[in-house]
Amino acid sequence: MKRILFSSFLLLAMEYCYGQTSYYWVGGATPASIQTVTNWNTSLDGSGSPRSSSTTATDVLIFDGTNIGGATPATGTVIGPVNGGITCAQIKFINNASVQLVRTSTGTGTITVSGDGSPAEDFLIESGCNISFTSTVGSVRIAMAASNTGRVSGNLSMITPLQARLDNTTSGTAGSFRFTSGATFTTNITAASASYAFGNSTQSSNGWVVFEAGSHLYYNGGFSPHGSGTLFSAIDMRPGSTWHHRATNAVSGVGNFFNRQGYGDIIVENNATLNAMGTIYRAGQCIVEAGASFISAASGQTVILGNLQVDGSFSSPALSSNKLVLAGSSAQSISGSGSISLAGLIVADHATVTLQKSLAVEQSVDIYGKLDFGTNQITGNAGFTAAGAENPIMSTGNLVNGAYFITGNTLFNTSSIGKAISGPGLAANTSIVSFSTTADSVYVSQPLQSTASGVSLNVDNQGATLATANSNGFAATGSVATTGNKLYGDSINYIINAANSAPFGISTAATGNMIRVGSVEINAAVTVNTGLQIYDQLVLNGKLSLRPMDTLHIISGSTISGIFSPSNYIVTDYNNGTGIQSIIQYDGLSSNTTIPLGTANYYLPVTINPLGNSDFSLAVFEGITANGSITGTALTATQKQTLVNAVWNIIRLNGTGDAEVQLNWDAALEGSTFTTLPGTDIGLIRNNGSSWNPPIGTGDNTLNTVTATLNAFGSLSAGAVPQVNPFVFNNLPDKTYGDPDFNGGATSLNTTQPIIYSSSNPAVATIVNGDIHITGAGTTDITASQATDGFYPAASVTNTLTVNRAALTIKADDKLKFEGQPNPTLTATYT
């Protein structure tokens, strides 16, 4: 009741201000002519006065759903024949009114709405009201003046085999008639001669009917609600509105359908086919339900800013050049259980698109933004281009606030489609989505924010991003399985989400073994298929394996990041036979930086902190050798006891000055003696080309690190610090001719001065593979009393067993026996 009183108050106020009189329908639900003046009354209950004339241009006509019978209260659907012409200032449908406008005789019944000059809507359908044009004998028209306004917040339908129309004039104002959120319009006009719900180019103004966000248009067949005329559309489908395509549209004789227009969401339903007749400059979400089809125009673009879900079919005509352009400012996906077959595909700069199904493309694929293939593929005969970063092209253009096109440019053309455009009055993350030679117009993905002429504009591209979870990566059978030429531009970006051995795209005409990329994110165990230069960043969340001969080049200013671990690092693989090894080249190091390298088996990182800006190459291999090279002579098992069994090759390519270097290893590579030592007894060792220098720096045998300040680099490892105390032979067992060869029992902790045995009389003892071999005869026992007097009996020929070490002690009761020759003398020497 309060709402009714408030509405009545407003109406009375308007009448007072503009000299109008409001009349309520009191003719009841049964067919009663709206021309009959007694069917209208100034009072809702019929107690007032009827209309004085059916053509009074200042009257306000109201259908109020709370009472349609006047003195005999009634509700229900009004069937109101329009068998002649009537005129009013305004017509309103309020309070859940339900009205069918019909004509029961041949000809056209016209309701002329002349307007009242006020801001209030001259044609109004409130929320909850249902108004329909349903004639089966004659036609019904509502003619609105050029300055009129209208609003539909309820439901309006035109379902008739005859003509029906609501129009204004060609001089009317764009956007003067609005379908608001929640409003619906249903059309199925199938007259013998052309009839368009909101007029054609000779009857109404372009874009005078606006479908706002949240409104719905249901096309159930017949003539187009766009109307007809060259590039004419009576309606403007704003973002957030929805076109429901429930019947197959003809491609001629029924007006314009999807021809150089923009839309909100498009849903193809009810086994219908949507036949686009030209470029679609803008659509939000596009859904093609099971059994339904979307067929693009033969040329131009089909621009989608939201998700594309196809459970039916989405295709281009045979031999067409139409391109699907995905240019949303928020994430988009392509999904569904149906089929997608395109002439061309463009993923615009700033767009982020995820493939949740595979699709076929016959002509061309151009990626400027981000395309995540997942496990899916693009197949077909198309060529494939992932565009690299480009320098901006500068031009000027004219803007109109709220429009989606820029006029007056002289440089941008079809080659600019998909690229980013920026300048004053343009929203961030805007892309070019189409081009028209008419007025040199470019169409953009977001509405313009100001009106201005000669605005400076830049068009560029920051480089495509390709993501894949395909086990074949970007091999020929992987994500990009098209048969045309492929071009992967410089500085494009990659995100690798599945283990594979082809994580990077290789251009068809590429030569050499190096590509240039922007950023790379590794989220699985991957083996590269090319060397690469990183110009932005490498993010490691998995193991990245370089093949022998590959180079991973981190350009100055770029970084390696991630949570480095035995699962997340870079393998610098190598060939033991040829000595060929992959390397990491890291330019512009000027601060403490960890390079997460390793072998196929172990994570062996290096941390470098140079005093000045320096470039380094780095690699590591297992199996320490005498000269520090992969093909060098392997150290013996005895020698490895006091070492880490790996070699880091670190070379400074540019720069000077000291650099602090830290090596980190896996405990499994430690020698048996090394692993028992405290951190104070280990250090960093450097190879001098033939042997290893003494350890320097400091170590931590708990964290498995050694750290030292270097000015010269090369082959590095970790080894034990020389011991200062004399060593002691282990107990020597009795030995007799014929016994197996044996080790002297001495252990050296000096990695640069290992134990070396020699014999002064090979007839008694020889050295075989570092062990002592007994060759003579005769026996000598060494007792405690003889320990300080030498060997007894004395020999005329001195036979010397030399231990290359600083000191030697023979423990009491130890025995050394030789047979058949004079007894040798056992001595110790310094070296």
Side-chain angles (χ1 to χ4, degrees):
M1 179 59 73
K2 290 181 179 179
R3 181 181 179 188
I4 296 170
L5 291 174
F6 181 67
S7 298
S8 300
F9 174 78
L10 289 178
L11 291 172
L12 288 172
M14 289 187 291
E15 292 171 18
Y16 176 79
C17 293
Y18 296 97
Q20 297 173 326
T21 303
S22 293
Y23 293 92
Y24 295 90
W25 176 260
V26 293
T30 58
S33 175
I34 64 172
Q35 291 175 284
T36 302
V37 293
T38 56
N39 287 332
W40 300 96
N41 197 280
T42 55
S43 295
L44 184 61
D45 62 3
S47 62
S49 302
R51 291 191 76 185
S52 59
S53 169
S54 63
T55 58
T56 303
T58 58
D59 289 349
V60 176
L61 304 183
I62 303 171
F63 290 91
D64 190 324
T66 61
N67 184 9
I68 60 175
T72 305
T75 59
T77 299
V78 174
I79 301 175
V82 186
N83 290 326
I86 69 168
T87 303
C88 61
Q90 296 177 339
I91 186 168
K92 301 176 184 293
F93 305 87
I94 64 174
N95 295 327
N96 300 312
S98 177
V99 179
Q100 295 180 9
L101 300 177
V102 301
R103 182 175 174 89
T104 58
S105 60
T106 58
T108 300
T110 301
I111 301 173
T112 301
V113 181
S114 58
D116 66 351
S118 75
E121 290 90 356
D122 300 306
F123 182 95
L124 172 66
I125 301 176
E126 281 192 348
S127 177
C129 295
N130 294 281
I131 313 305
S132 62
F133 292 53
T134 57
S135 293
T136 59
V137 178
S139 301
V140 175
R141 174 194 177 201
I142 295 180
M144 298 183 65
S147 60
N148 282 5
T149 59
R151 172 169 62 87
V152 176
S153 296
N155 307 303
L156 175 63
S157 66
M158 296 183 183
I159 301 174
T160 174
L162 300 171
Q163 291 193 341
R165 186 169 75 246
L166 192 157
D167 58 58
N168 74 347
T169 68
T170 55
S171 61
T173 303
S176 59
F177 194 99
R178 300 177 300 128
F179 283 81
T180 62
S181 180
T184 69
F185 173 67
T186 304
T187 178
N188 186 6
I189 302 173
T190 56
S193 58
S195 178
Y196 304 101
F198 302 108
N200 61 23
S201 60
T202 63
Q203 297 164 337
S204 296
S205 54
N206 196 58
W208 78 284
V209 177
V210 170
F211 284 81
E212 297 178 345
S215 62
H216 295 259
L217 184 154
Y218 294 89
Y219 174 74
N220 287 353
F223 290 92
S224 173
H226 285 287
S228 65
T230 303
L231 304 181
F232 173 82
S233 177
I235 64 173
D236 180 2
M237 303 293 295
R238 296 287 174 85
S241 64
T242 303
W243 176 296
H244 298 262
H245 202 75
R246 293 180 165 179
T248 300
N249 64 289
V251 294
S252 64
V254 291
N256 297 323
F257 273 102
F258 307 98
N259 182 15
R260 298 181 67 175
Q261 299 298 324
Y263 298 86
D265 297 337
I266 297 175
I267 304 177
V268 188
E269 309 168 343
N270 197 37
N271 298 316
T273 296
L274 183 157
N275 291 295
M277 299 171 64
T279 288
I280 296 177
Y281 289 132
R282 182 193 72 252
Q285 179 175 238
C286 182
I287 298 174
V288 183
E289 294 186 349
S293 299
F294 187 117
I295 301 176
S296 73
S299 61
Q301 295 80 40
T302 301
V303 181
I304 295 179
L305 306 179
N307 296 331
L308 173 60
Q309 179 182 327
V310 179
D311 295 309
S313 69
F314 189 106
S315 63
S316 303
L319 304 178
S320 78
S321 61
N322 187 275
K323 294 185 178 183
L324 172 65
V325 181
L326 302 172
S329 57
S330 57
Q332 298 174 259
S333 65
I334 299 178
S335 64
S337 59
S339 63
I340 299 177
S341 179
L342 308 172
L345 172 67
I346 295 176
V347 176
D349 200 333
H350 303 307
T352 298
V353 178
T354 300
L355 289 186
Q356 296 178 3
K357 67 179 286 74
S358 295
L359 58 149
V361 185
E362 289 303 305
Q363 300 293 332
S364 63
V365 178
D366 297 285
I367 311 300
Y368 297 97
K370 177 181 178 181
L371 178 61
D372 187 344
F373 289 84
T375 59
N376 298 292
Q377 296 177 300
I378 297 179
T379 61
N381 298 316
F384 180 90
T385 299
E390 302 177 11
N391 293 324
I393 299 173
M394 292 177 285
S395 183
T396 59
N398 306 322
L399 316 183
V400 175
N401 188 39
Y404 283 82
F405 60 91
I406 300 169
T407 60
N409 96 90
T410 57
L411 292 178
F412 309 145
N413 50 39
T414 54
S415 66
S416 301
I417 296 173
K419 298 180 182 180
I421 183 168
S422 59
L426 273 72
N429 301 327
T430 296
S431 301
I432 293 177
V433 296
S434 188
F435 172 80
S436 172
T437 55
T438 304
D440 297 318
S441 298
V442 292
Y443 290 78
V444 294
S445 60
Q446 300 195 77
L448 304 176
Q449 298 179 330
S450 66
T451 299
S453 299
V455 175
S456 296
L457 303 170
N458 289 337
V459 168
D460 61 8
N461 176 57
Q462 298 303 310
T465 296
L466 305 179
T468 182
N470 192 301
S471 60
N472 291 318
F474 289 98
T477 56
S479 294
V480 183
T482 56
T483 59
N485 289 335
K486 299 177 179 65
L487 175 62
Y488 296 88
D490 285 345
S491 301
I492 68 174
N493 311 303
Y494 288 91
I495 301 173
I496 311 302
N497 295 318
N500 70 84
S501 58
F504 304 109
I506 307 298
S507 298
T508 301
T511 59
N513 182 40
M514 182 67 72
I515 64 171
R516 175 176 176 173
V517 298
S519 66
V520 174
E521 181 179 328
I522 302 296
N523 297 316
V526 166
T527 299
V528 303
N529 54 333
T530 179
L532 61 158
Q533 294 177 317
I534 304 287
Y535 278 78
D536 188 359
Q537 64 174 337
L538 171 62
V539 181
L540 285 178
N541 297 308
K543 183 189 289 187
L544 177 66
S545 296
L546 307 178
R547 306 164 304 173
M549 294 189 69
D550 287 332
T551 296
L552 172 62
H553 189 178
I554 309 300
I555 300 298
S556 182
S558 303
T559 59
I560 303 176
S561 62
I563 302 175
F564 308 144
S565 72
S567 299
N568 302 333
Y569 66 96
I570 303 166
V571 175
T572 54
D573 206 0
Y574 50 92
N575 186 304
N576 279 312
T578 62
I580 295 173
Q581 183 171 27
S582 55
I583 64 169
I584 301 170
Q585 180 177 334
Y586 207 130
D587 293 349
L589 283 178
S590 59
S591 60
N592 197 53
T593 303
T594 296
I595 298 90
L597 75 162
T599 66
N601 300 313
Y602 300 108
Y603 173 47
L604 306 169
V606 172
T607 300
I608 302 179
N609 188 11
L611 292 180
N613 194 291
S614 299
D615 302 341
F616 288 92
S617 71
L618 308 96
V620 64
F621 66 89
E622 295 176 44
I624 191 167
T625 59
N627 66 359
S629 71
I630 294 172
T631 57
T633 302
L635 297 186
T636 67
T638 300
Q639 292 169 328
K640 292 178 182 179
Q641 289 178 359
T642 57
L643 303 169
V644 170
N645 192 28
V647 176
W648 289 260
N649 282 313
I650 302 175
I651 299 172
R652 179 155 56 190
L653 304 174
N654 290 296
T656 59
D658 292 342
E660 184 180 77
V661 175
Q662 181 182 91
L663 309 180
N664 191 181
W665 60 88
D666 191 285
L669 294 172
E670 295 178 354
S672 59
T673 300
F674 185 97
T675 196
T676 66
L677 300 175
T680 54
D681 287 353
I682 62 175
L684 186 148
I685 58 176
R686 187 173 73 87
N687 198 279
N688 58 26
S690 60
S691 61
W692 293 92
N693 294 333
I696 59 175
T698 59
D700 187 322
N701 216 356
T702 300
L703 298 177
N704 298 337
T705 62
V706 290
T707 304
T709 298
L710 303 178
N711 188 268
F713 299 86
S715 298
L716 309 176
S717 190
V721 176
Q723 303 300 293
V724 297
N725 296 323
F727 69 88
V728 178
F729 270 112
N730 295 324
N731 290 335
L732 299 176
D734 292 346
K735 292 293 179 180
T736 305
Y737 175 75
D739 286 350
D741 299 348
F742 68 100
N743 186 274
T747 300
S748 172
L749 298 182
N750 185 343
T751 58
T752 64
Q753 206 166 22
I755 298 296
I756 302 174
Y757 298 101
S758 65
S759 174
S760 63
N761 189 347
V764 176
T766 58
I767 308 303
V768 179
N769 294 326
D771 290 335
I772 302 169
H773 177 72
I774 305 304
T775 58
T779 300
T780 297
D781 293 338
I782 302 175
T783 66
S785 62
Q786 296 170 326
T788 59
D789 296 331
F791 293 96
Y792 184 85
S796 59
V797 178
T798 301
N799 301 310
T800 304
L801 177 63
T802 301
V803 179
N804 188 4
R805 195 59 181 140
L808 174 64
T809 301
I810 303 300
K811 296 176 67 176
D813 298 325
D814 286 348
K815 295 180 179 181
L816 183 63
K817 298 180 180 181
F818 297 90
E819 296 180 358
Q821 293 294 334
N823 298 314
T825 301
L826 184 62
T827 64
T829 61
Y830 291 90
T831 60

